Amino acid sequence: AACVAAWLMIGSVLARADDLNVARKLYLDGQQTEALDQVNAYLNSNPADAQARFLKGLILTKQNRQADAIQVYQSMIEDFPELPEPYNNLAVLYAAQGRYESATDSLEMAIRARPGYATAHENLGDVRARMASQSYERAAQLDSGNASARAKLAVLQGMFAKGEMPGPRPSENAGTSPAR
C-alpha cells in the first residue's frame, strides 16, 4: 500500500510538472492565450510555485498586459525576495514606461539578491545610460552653447539608434541565473 501511495504521489508530481512544461511550450510557440490558461490552471493547485508565477508574468508581458505582469512580479518579490529575476523583469517593465528611477531600484535589488547576476548589471547600465541621455539632453536645452553635453548626448543617441543599447532585457527563467 505504501508503494502504491508513493507511486501515485510521484505520478501526481510528474503530471503537475508536465502541465507546467506544456504551458512553457505554448508560451515559446507564441500561443499566449493557451499558455496563460494552462499556467492559471496549474497555479490553481500550486499557487506558491515560483516558476509558474514567473511564467505567468512572461506571458502577460507578451500579451502587452504590463500592469498585470507588474502585479505578478511584485507579488513574487514579496514571496520570494531572494530571486533576482522578478526584480529584473519588473525593472524592464518600469524602464519601458520611462520609470527609470523605479527600474534602477528594482535592478539594485536584483543585484543585492544575487551579486553575480550579469543580466541585472547590464540592464542597470542600460537604464543609467538612458537616464544620462535625458540629463545631457536637458543640459543642452538649458544651455544651447554647452558643446560637452551635446557631444555626450550624441554618443548615447548613436548607441541607442544603432541598436547597440536596446535597453534592458527580461530574464526568461526564474531561479536559473548563475549562482554567486
Side-chain angles (χ1 to χ4, degrees), residues 130-152:
R130 297 243 182 232
M131 293 172 74
S133 178
Q134 289 178 336
S135 293
Y136 294 139
E137 186 172 356
R138 183 70 177 139
Q141 289 172 351
L142 294 171
D143 179 3
S144 60
N146 188 335
S148 175
R150 288 193 183 286
K152 292 172 186 174

Side-chain angles (χ1 to χ4, degrees), residues 52-152:
R53 289 169 64 183
F54 190 80
L55 179 58
K56 181 175 181 172
L58 292 173
I59 295 166
L60 292 169
T61 300
K62 285 279 190 193
Q63 292 181 326
N64 293 316
R65 294 173 56 188
Q66 282 75 17
D68 293 331
I70 286 171
Q71 286 181 331
V72 168
Y73 294 131
Q74 287 173 333
S75 173
M76 284 189 72
I77 287 167
E78 289 174 18
D79 295 341
F80 308 101
E82 72 282 2
L83 292 178
E85 293 85 359
Y87 291 108
N88 181 76
N89 287 18
L90 183 60
V92 170
L93 293 169
Y94 286 154
Q97 296 174 345
R99 297 171 55 192
Y100 298 123
E101 292 290 335
S102 296
T104 297
D105 292 343
S106 290
L107 289 165
E108 288 173 349
M109 290 302 295
I111 292 167
R112 276 191 209 105
R114 187 166 299 136
Y117 187 29
T119 300
H121 284 281
E122 180 182 357
N123 286 345
L124 184 58
D126 290 346
V127 169
R128 287 183 174 159
R130 297 243 182 232
M131 293 172 74
S133 178
Q134 289 178 336
S135 293
Y136 294 139
E137 186 172 356
R138 183 70 177 139
Q141 289 172 351
L142 294 171
D143 179 3
S144 60
N146 188 335
S148 175
R150 288 193 183 286
K152 292 172 186 174

